[in-house]
Amino acid sequence: MIIVGTVLVYLGYTQGSSPATGGNTQTTTTETISLGRQRTYTITISVGSILTYNNSYMTSEGNVAQKTIYSINATQIQWPFILGVYNIHGQNTTGSARMAIGNIVLPLEMLGKQEVSIPLIIPAVNSGLCANLTLIGVKEIKINNRTMNVYIYSMNVSTGRYMITAQLAYNKSNGILIDANYTIYGDDQILFMNRQYVLNTTLTGKMKTVTPSDWFCTQPYSTDFRFTLEGTYILQDGKLTPISINDVREASLGTAIVGVIGKDGQQITMDFWKTLLAASKQCPEAKVYLIIVGPLSDPTTNALANNILERGGASESTVIAKFINGSVDGKAYRYADLQELTNLLCGSS
């Protein structure tokens, strides 16, 4: 997240992590366990492409409260991100940009399909998710005095006290995200509204982009932890199922494996997430009650996460702990390898 003066433009995770080094990397702990599969997509953004946006924050009545014009010059395509240089017009401000693929373009292989899953960053929230988008129609729209045909996709996601809705218009001919409208609700009230639309594009041609070799991306989670939605879940056999916060609380007071993982953007946390998914597939009968905490976590969820960390005697904010009658019998931290996590989940000593 970049804050320039009073203008906030989301440009991707940077805190505490280094950029990924390619689409084919894989941790050695999970190389023999299939989490997903490598995919090749075609996008119409390549190195040298320049997109100029009008980014507006709205009042709850739909009026523009703050507007920024900025451009992104793509310098590298590195799924799930497009890397580049941004320039905020009128401020003589430039810097590094890292934007999720879904916030800029839809791969041609997905374009027009009824259901697609794409990594998205929610503007101004400093959090991302693998969103399941549903095609709701095709229409003609006019943006900046240009008329074009677009596919309209919708998104509706709930996590804790928050609900996120979006309507995304992708150009029918090239997949460029032309117009995006996001609304975040909390306790049935509008907390935030954002509209971002393209003013101008300079495209340098199509290119193939390759996902990581174990990639999967489906709401609410991904093998890339940065795109796993905050919330409370059961992890079993490599699959994440949303559950209530009370289910996690009750599990932690009885006999269960309970974990807290923070979305801190650090590489060690992202590697740990893949290792945990792999261990879960090694122990398909084991249930892990998880709290994923981050910017979209509500106070109640944060309080329970802190309670579990305190009761577990955890020395850091990410831990998987085995509780027996409410007392910790074993735990593993982010630096645990696959064998350690497998032993914890399978019950080995």
Side-chain angles (χ1 to χ4, degrees):
M1 183 171 284
I2 305 293
I3 299 178
V4 183
T6 59
V7 177
L8 185 150
V9 181
Y10 199 113
L11 299 169
Y13 279 88
T14 55
Q15 180 182 0
S17 64
S18 58
T21 55
N24 302 326
T25 57
Q26 187 177 35
T27 58
T28 56
T29 57
T30 62
E31 62 185 8
T32 60
I33 300 170
S34 175
L35 297 176
R37 66 184 181 88
Q38 189 175 75
R39 298 176 184 271
T40 300
Y41 293 117
T42 309
I43 61 174
T44 56
I45 299 289
S46 56
V47 174
S49 295
I50 302 174
L51 297 94
T52 302
Y53 298 94
N54 181 317
N55 186 66
S56 297
Y57 297 97
M58 323 291 286
T59 68
S60 58
E61 294 79 24
N63 300 317
V64 176
Q66 189 177 56
K67 181 177 75 173
T68 306
I69 307 297
Y70 72 97
S71 298
I72 298 292
N73 186 337
T75 59
Q76 189 177 3
I77 312 300
Q78 199 174 71
W79 190 280
F81 292 106
I82 292 176
L83 312 180
V85 176
Y86 73 91
N87 173 57
I88 299 181
H89 296 207
Q91 297 187 22
N92 194 29
T93 303
T94 62
S96 299
R98 193 147 56 122
M99 300 181 72
I101 292 280
N103 291 80
I104 298 182
V105 63
L106 198 64
L108 298 183
E109 290 81 1
M110 296 182 182
L111 194 60
K113 288 192 174 182
Q114 187 62 38
E115 303 281 345
V116 296
S117 295
I118 195 77
L120 279 181
I121 293 168
I122 307 302
V125 176
N126 197 25
S127 190
L129 74 153
C130 269
N132 292 347
L133 305 183
T134 301
L135 180 65
I136 60 174
V138 180
K139 65 184 295 186
E140 187 177 83
I141 65 172
K142 190 173 185 178
I143 297 287
N144 201 31
N145 296 319
R146 290 180 299 156
T147 301
M148 63 197 75
N149 290 316
V150 296
Y151 291 110
I152 305 294
Y153 283 89
S154 68
M155 178 187 77
N156 193 314
V157 178
S158 294
T159 174
R161 60 182 287 203
Y162 301 113
M163 182 174 71
I164 306 166
T165 65
Q167 191 168 99
L168 310 174
Y170 290 94
N171 190 306
K172 193 175 179 181
S173 64
N174 59 23
I176 300 296
L177 180 56
I178 298 298
D179 194 4
N181 292 270
Y182 298 90
T183 304
I184 298 179
Y185 300 87
D187 300 327
D188 297 322
Q189 294 182 335
I190 293 176
L191 302 179
F192 165 80
M193 295 175 67
N194 170 266
R195 183 191 180 198
Q196 182 166 277
Y197 61 90
V198 171
L199 294 174
N200 190 38
T201 62
T202 301
L203 304 181
T204 53
K206 299 177 185 178
M207 69 164 289
K208 299 289 186 181
T209 178
V210 181
T211 73
S213 58
D214 55 0
W215 173 260
F216 69 74
C217 170
T218 184
Q219 191 172 304
Y221 73 132
S222 171
T223 41
D224 190 322
F225 187 61
R226 292 168 293 190
F227 295 99
T228 295
L229 184 65
E230 291 91 328
T232 47
Y233 302 95
I234 282 181
L235 171 65
Q236 185 175 14
D237 195 15
K239 299 177 182 178
L240 211 60
T241 304
I243 58 173
S244 74
I245 190 172
N246 286 332
D247 289 337
V248 180
R249 179 185 291 111
E250 291 176 6
S252 72
L253 296 174
T255 298
I257 300 172
V258 184
V260 177
I261 309 178
K263 291 179 70 172
D264 55 15
Q266 295 185 21
Q267 188 64 47
I268 188 174
T269 306
M270 293 189 285
D271 291 342
F272 173 78
W273 174 246
K274 287 187 178 183
T275 306
L276 178 62
L277 293 178
S280 175
K281 297 192 76 171
Q282 291 277 67
C283 308
E285 301 302 317
K287 293 182 179 180
V288 182
Y289 293 81
L290 282 180
I291 303 178
I292 309 297
V293 292
L296 283 171
S297 298
D298 59 60
T300 303
T301 302
N302 287 333
L304 178 59
N306 288 331
N307 174 265
I308 290 173
L309 293 173
E310 290 174 5
R311 288 169 48 217
S315 58
E316 59 172 79
S317 60
T318 291
V319 68
I320 306 296
K322 177 177 287 187
F323 286 87
I324 295 182
N325 296 324
S327 298
V328 172
D329 187 59
K331 56 193 170 188
Y333 292 109
R334 290 183 296 174
Y335 43 79
D337 61 18
L338 179 60
Q339 188 62 54
E340 184 177 351
L341 281 173
T342 299
N343 288 345
L344 185 67
L345 269 59
C346 291
S348 302
S349 57

